[in-house]
Amino acid sequence: MTGALERLAAVRSHRKFVAAVKDSVRKVRGSVPDPATVLPTIVDAEPLDFKVPPIMEHAFGYGGSLRFVEFSYSPRTHQFGYSDGGDHVPSDAELWTEFVNHPLVWAEIGEDQYPTLYGNFQHGGGRFCRELDRPNEEWHCLLVDRNERQPYLCTMKQIVFFFPLTEPTNGDDHTVFRDGQLLSPCHTEFKVVPQVDALQQLYSWLDNELLKTPLPDYGGTF
């Protein structure tokens, strides 16, 4: 009974938040976009110039079916993980470090510009970032459109507004409450990919994409 009550409370809280975001958007824009067609650019997320590997979600443990999944370090826990609009689920930080350090990825979202993507939590002058009670606009994540294999660079503030806009008009994509987390259905129904195999497949795909990337035109001769 306690578990059922916790699930009900979590679902209600989530739906209330989604409704509040949609109401805010409706007041500003006059209407709420169709959840089936909404794209990250609606919150000014930045599309990146590479595609993500088909295996990416499963490599990091995501087994759901929703279109958008974000990968990031949580501002609250400093743990790496992912979310499809429900709670943030811990994942493989070592594999993520290898992924973001691949030349194709690093060239666009390098650690110098976006340290929180790399687990660097220093905040000015070497101080440790303590602002964990609210989404930090400077805390970044990688949002993936699974249909188009298109990654977007987002701030946590953008993610907070984006995910509610993808929820069904008269429903909720997040109805499973497991281990204290609100998740979407079928979240764990997939075959886990061993880290070594996942890394090999990720790098192989990214290497091929890198080889197809045109070299910069320096306008001179050697």
Side-chain angles (χ1 to χ4, degrees):
M1 179 63 71
T2 300
L5 291 175
E6 289 179 344
R7 173 185 173 278
L8 182 60
V11 171
R12 283 179 174 175
S13 177
H14 183 256
R15 289 180 176 175
K16 184 177 180 180
F17 177 73
V18 168
V21 171
K22 289 186 175 182
D23 284 344
S24 296
V25 171
R26 188 177 293 109
K27 291 176 181 177
V28 173
R29 298 171 57 94
S31 63
V32 177
D34 181 352
T37 62
V38 68
L39 293 174
T41 49
I42 195 173
V43 293
D44 295 327
E46 178 185 348
L48 300 173
D49 290 333
F50 64 88
K51 301 293 184 180
V52 295
I55 193 180
M56 183 167 175
E57 303 92 295
H58 282 186
F60 288 103
Y62 180 70
S65 60
L66 299 188
R67 178 174 178 177
F68 297 99
V69 180
E70 65 92 0
F71 299 88
S72 66
Y73 281 88
S74 167
R76 291 187 177 277
T77 66
H78 287 184
Q79 283 187 294
F80 170 75
Y82 57 81
S83 170
D84 63 3
D87 285 331
H88 195 260
V89 180
S91 185
D92 190 336
E94 291 183 13
L95 185 61
W96 174 252
T97 297
E98 295 289 346
F99 173 79
V100 291
N101 277 291
H102 187 279
L104 185 69
V105 180
W106 183 88
E108 288 207 56
I109 51 175
E111 184 173 3
D112 288 346
Q113 288 183 286
Y114 308 105
T116 56
L117 282 175
Y118 291 74
N120 184 345
F121 311 123
Q122 298 301 314
H123 181 65
R127 286 192 300 113
F128 193 75
C129 180
R130 296 293 184 182
E131 298 178 3
L132 307 181
D133 58 336
R134 57 184 174 82
N136 188 325
E137 188 172 359
E138 299 305 317
W139 204 287
H140 288 88
C141 67
L142 187 72
L143 177 65
V144 174
D145 180 341
R146 300 178 63 225
N147 287 0
E148 303 296 330
R149 311 310 306 168
Q150 174 64 50
Y152 293 82
L153 178 67
C154 295
T155 63
M156 297 309 292
K157 182 177 180 179
Q158 289 170 329
I159 282 293
V160 165
F161 281 96
F162 175 71
F163 271 133
L165 299 179
T166 67
E167 295 283 357
T169 302
N170 297 309
D172 194 336
D173 280 329
H174 301 87
T175 56
V176 175
F177 192 70
R178 181 181 296 123
D179 298 328
Q181 294 179 313
L182 186 64
L183 311 170
S184 61
C186 302
H187 196 85
T188 59
E189 295 181 7
F190 66 96
K191 183 178 180 180
V192 176
V193 182
Q195 187 188 71
V196 174
D197 293 341
L199 180 59
Q200 181 179 13
Q201 292 181 56
L202 284 172
Y203 256 59
S204 177
W205 199 92
L206 291 170
D207 286 346
N208 288 333
E209 288 297 300
L210 184 62
L211 290 174
K212 294 187 291 185
T213 303
L215 293 174
D217 183 5
Y218 292 103
T221 59
F222 293 95

